[in-house]
Amino acid sequence: MTSEAMSIVVDVNRSDICESSSRRTRDESVFEKLKKAAQDGDIEELYKLIAEEQNILDHFDEVPFCETPLHVAAENGKTHFAMELVTLKPSLALKLNVSGFTPVNLALQNNHMRMVRGFIAIDRSLVRIMGRGRITPLHHVARIGDAELLSEILMACPFSIEDLTIKRETAVHIAVKNHQFMAFKVLFGWIKRANRVEILDWKDEDGNTVFH
């Protein structure tokens, strides 16, 4: 290969590297702006970013576990921004972050109950999405003892009463173990009305039923 040809190859390679580096820097900048918009709940900025990069939300489908702007909005209690995102990209609500939590999990953990109700109103099936430890929203609400929200979740998705954690606990087990009497009362009443009393005999990993 002549020195002239080698020079052309080097120049092309440098050009490719510079272009790739520039693209990566631009992408990082866009995603940082998107994260900031989620933190602030800035819907106008969201649409500006989508106008600049129409596939910006598709990126999160390509990564198995990641923090999406919906996780950020959920953690920060930006309800309207979160609802806008779920409408634009429903798959974001199913995504686990690297800690194993869904956006609904994070909304519950941070006591953003208005947002949780918004998620349920948009898609009832979200109450059965399992996060870390196979914890569902019903399990979490049974633990904290919010009887009203517990009733709303059961109304939205009655079969969620059957979901088990990795310790084979039902929501009833969790309510009893955490001394949440009102939560237990709601769950027990629901089980009786649904004629599913056999759930009370289900055993956790230690062989304990609710009555144990």
Side-chain angles (χ1 to χ4, degrees):
M1 182 181 293
T2 67
S3 60
E4 183 179 351
M6 289 179 65
S7 176
I8 292 172
V9 171
V10 170
D11 287 345
V12 169
N13 287 341
R14 283 177 178 170
S15 175
D16 289 344
I17 291 169
C18 289
E19 185 177 343
S20 175
S21 176
S22 175
R23 170 71 181 180
R24 185 165 57 249
T25 302
R26 188 172 72 84
D27 285 348
E28 289 172 356
S29 174
V30 169
F31 288 120
E32 280 301 313
K33 288 179 181 177
L34 182 58
K35 181 176 181 179
K36 180 68 163 54
Q39 290 171 336
D40 296 340
D42 191 340
I43 295 174
E44 290 299 322
E45 179 66 11
L46 170 64
Y47 280 101
K48 286 180 184 177
L49 293 170
I50 290 173
E52 292 176 19
E53 188 73 52
Q54 294 185 17
N55 297 325
I56 189 171
L57 297 179
D58 294 337
H59 161 79
F60 300 101
D61 287 336
E62 301 168 6
V63 187
F65 302 94
C66 64
E67 181 185 66
T68 72
L70 188 56
H71 285 97
V72 176
E75 194 166 6
N76 287 276
K78 304 303 180 182
T79 300
H80 293 162
F81 189 94
M83 299 304 101
E84 198 76 25
L85 269 181
V86 171
T87 303
L88 292 171
K89 194 72 174 173
S91 60
L92 293 180
L94 311 178
K95 184 71 68 173
L96 296 175
N97 66 13
V98 292
S99 298
F101 298 121
T102 67
V104 184
N105 292 147
L106 293 179
L108 282 166
Q109 289 170 20
N110 289 279
N111 203 34
H112 301 311
M113 300 311 179
R114 182 182 178 187
M115 183 182 293
V116 175
R117 289 181 167 92
F119 280 130
I120 295 171
I122 288 177
D123 185 354
R124 294 182 179 189
S125 69
L126 293 179
V127 303
R128 298 197 77 180
I129 299 300
M130 294 179 176
R132 186 172 181 166
R134 289 177 58 89
I135 298 293
T136 68
L138 187 71
H139 294 136
H140 184 95
V141 177
R143 182 179 64 78
I144 63 176
D146 188 331
E148 184 178 349
L149 185 54
L150 202 62
S151 297
E152 292 175 28
I153 291 175
L154 288 168
M155 286 289 290
C157 191
F159 292 110
S160 60
I161 193 72
E162 300 175 0
D163 293 330
L164 302 175
T165 69
I166 58 172
K167 297 179 180 180
R168 300 210 309 269
E169 298 166 317
T170 65
V172 195
H173 279 107
I174 292 172
V176 170
K177 288 179 180 180
N178 287 277
H179 311 289
Q180 298 293 356
F181 174 71
M182 289 305 298
F184 170 76
K185 188 175 179 180
V186 169
L187 291 163
F188 183 68
W190 185 267
I191 286 171
K192 285 178 64 179
R193 286 193 298 275
N195 197 27
R196 295 298 311 277
V197 291
E198 72 276 8
I199 291 175
L200 299 175
D201 293 324
W202 289 4
K203 296 179 180 179
D204 64 14
E205 66 179 3
D206 297 318
N208 294 318
T209 68
V210 170
F211 295 115
H212 288 150

